[in-house]
Amino acid sequence: MIISSGRSRTRPAVVALAVAALTVAGSVTVVARTTTTAGAAVAGPTAAAQVEDEGADCAVPGLPDVGSLPTNAKLPDPFKKLNGTTISTRSDWRCRRAEIKELAEKFVYGEKPAKPATVTGTVSTSTITVNVNHNGRSASFTARVELPSGSGPFPAVVVVGGFGADTATIKAAGAAVISYDPLTVGRGGTPRNNKQGAFYSIYGSSSGTGLLAAWSWGVSRIIDVIEQSDGRILKADAMGVTGCSRYGKGAFAIGVFDQRIALTMPIESGSAGVPIFRGIPGEGAQSLSSAYGEQPWLGDAFGSFTSSPTRLPVDTHEMVAMVAPRGLFIMDNPHIANLGPRSASVAALGGAEVYRALGAGDNISYWSDVQDGSHCANRPEWRDPLQKNIRKFLLRTGNDPGVFRISSKALGRLADWRDWQTPTLADGPTTPPPTP
């Protein structure tokens, strides 16, 4: 990635992806570029995984109990395993990610179950149908399909709840749009002991799993159906997801939990989305208790942490890291403090350290340097990077570097939140120590 001054001329420089970049005096926006010792960019487009969870076979040691969790004001070290050791190779990340996933499920989202016993459905040029049967229970839902011009098969972007990145730009870039109504899978406005929707028809209305994990489960089942189709309409290995506001929370969770998603694009996701939980109370964003109580977005277990996020053994910078090395383009609004944009920038910078360690620093972008403060607006500043990310991760016809453009209105400092260092991981080319 590249460092630039957001509202005026670009000032290229090689900097630390997070810490040193934020120390550049007067910078309005921050971008960094990952280089090898020879100075060449590393980590081109990374294809999505072929399975929903590559770490499903990892042996994860016993997770801590709520009562035994210590208080830690700093962000947890994403590289430190549950046994206290630090990963040393890129191949270690697969099972370290599995540990983070289980922590996130236990304490934040609730369990996202693996693929049900039977998933069937159809894919047409206008509709995807999904039928699920598991343990004697069944549920069905549909999603609408809009194809771009040209002949398929097409990559596709799931637009959660009808609010996300500009669909005209997505289709003009050559990708289909899948309009996904998450409320058919996990309905809003329900009490926690009587959750409704296709997910809860299968797993029970009193399930401790929150809506975000349920919505993620629904998109995973859509991908299952696309995989089982004849492949003439949509490409199962070139899937993206986007959403704004509460549906930005959903888009983020979808990309976090399904490694078949090649490009994740949350917009203005706010509390329960990208922003670090530890930063929300000090920023004036929607409080964790408000977000937890407004809708059952988060899992029931998160209720123990609404007033004490420093006891969480995981935070959202690690959810950002769970997307690595796949494409991630986070779009934010610095004009609305209630959305927690400063805490979101810290989450992005913290997760980007894992991208950098994996040699994939060019696969993550964060952009909050925008003029229009309206919530969920289609902004011209995002049009070009949106097209570049679609070309890179879905069409695989480009290789533009990721870009961090952080508005000075909401510029977080990762250095204030971490007491750990990014290791140099073995296995192939590695990123050298950055030069300010």
Side-chain angles (χ1 to χ4, degrees):
M1 293 178 278
I2 309 159
I3 185 163
S4 69
S5 179
R7 297 193 184 97
S8 57
R9 57 194 179 92
T10 299
R11 299 173 56 198
V14 178
V15 298
L17 182 55
V19 180
L22 289 179
T23 65
V24 179
S27 289
V28 175
T29 61
V30 178
V31 189
R33 187 175 183 83
T34 304
T35 61
T36 65
T37 53
V42 300
T46 301
Q50 294 184 348
V51 294
E52 183 177 346
D53 178 13
E54 288 188 315
D57 64 329
C58 292
V60 176
L63 301 179
D65 294 324
V66 172
S68 66
L69 294 172
T71 297
N72 178 15
K74 301 293 186 181
L75 295 175
D77 184 349
F79 301 100
K80 183 178 287 188
K81 297 189 289 186
L82 289 174
N83 65 10
T85 64
T86 299
I87 65 172
S88 58
T89 68
R90 293 179 182 177
S91 59
D92 289 339
W93 175 248
R94 183 176 72 88
C95 288
R96 171 56 186 149
R97 181 188 179 280
E99 292 183 347
I100 295 171
K101 176 179 179 290
E102 294 206 10
L103 288 169
E105 288 183 324
K106 179 173 180 177
F107 297 109
V108 178
Y109 296 99
E111 181 187 4
K112 181 199 172 190
K115 183 178 179 180
T118 304
V119 179
T120 61
T122 60
V123 177
S124 74
T125 58
S126 61
T127 307
I128 297 172
T129 64
V130 179
N131 306 302
V132 177
N133 288 277
H134 188 74
N135 290 341
R137 296 182 175 184
S138 61
S140 300
F141 59 95
T142 64
R144 183 164 52 88
V145 176
E146 298 175 57
L147 299 182
S149 59
S151 57
F154 299 101
V157 176
V158 176
V159 178
V160 183
F163 294 99
D166 180 30
T167 55
T169 300
I170 292 170
K171 289 193 290 185
V177 169
I178 298 174
S179 297
Y180 169 59
D181 180 2
L183 302 182
T184 63
V185 176
R187 188 178 307 158
T190 61
R192 288 189 173 273
N193 62 357
N194 189 26
K195 302 184 185 78
Q196 301 295 315
F199 177 90
Y200 301 102
S201 295
I202 299 294
Y203 299 103
S205 60
S206 61
S207 166
T209 296
L211 296 181
L212 302 182
W215 295 352
S216 177
W217 176 91
V219 171
S220 293
R221 309 294 68 89
I222 289 174
I223 298 174
D224 291 341
V225 170
I226 296 173
E227 285 181 332
Q228 296 165 14
S229 71
D230 58 19
R232 290 186 296 177
I233 300 173
L234 300 176
K235 295 181 177 181
D237 63 349
M239 297 289 299
V241 63
T242 188
C244 188
S245 196
R246 66 185 60 192
Y247 301 132
K249 307 180 203 296
F252 181 54
I254 290 161
V256 165
F257 283 109
D258 196 321
Q259 291 181 280
R260 295 172 296 182
I261 297 289
L263 176 59
T264 302
M265 299 180 288
I267 303 174
E268 301 177 43
S269 58
S271 300
V274 173
I276 56 170
F277 298 123
R278 284 164 168 80
I280 285 171
E283 187 175 356
Q286 181 185 18
S287 70
L288 296 176
S289 59
S290 173
Y292 181 77
E294 180 180 344
Q295 298 283 349
W297 290 318
L298 297 168
D300 293 358
F302 190 80
S304 298
F305 303 98
T306 56
S307 60
S308 56
T310 55
R311 293 181 57 242
L312 278 168
V314 67
D315 214 317
T316 59
H317 68 301
E318 292 174 291
M319 283 58 136
V320 170
M322 283 178 64
V323 182
R326 295 169 289 132
L328 177 59
F329 178 27
I330 300 169
M331 289 161 271
D332 226 326
N333 184 345
H335 305 285
I336 303 177
N338 192 57
L339 293 170
R342 182 174 290 107
S343 296
S345 73
V346 174
L349 290 164
E353 291 297 298
V354 173
Y355 271 85
R356 184 167 69 90
L358 296 175
D362 275 351
N363 290 350
I364 178 172
S365 293
Y366 179 89
W367 198 302
S368 65
D369 184 38
V370 296
Q371 297 297 316
D372 185 352
S374 303
H375 187 37
C376 290
N378 283 330
R379 295 182 172 82
E381 294 97 332
W382 293 338
R383 189 172 299 121
D384 181 63
L386 172 61
Q387 292 172 331
K388 288 177 177 177
N389 274 277
I390 290 173
R391 285 196 297 265
K392 181 174 181 177
F393 296 105
L394 301 185
L395 301 175
R396 297 173 196 154
T397 58
N399 192 22
D400 292 282
V403 175
F404 268 57
R405 292 179 63 112
I406 304 175
S407 169
S408 61
K409 289 178 177 288
L411 180 62
R413 284 177 49 89
L414 179 60
D416 295 338
W417 291 99
R418 72 166 175 174
D419 55 6
W420 41 269
Q421 297 300 314
T422 301
T424 298
L425 302 181
D427 295 348
T430 58
T431 304
T435 302

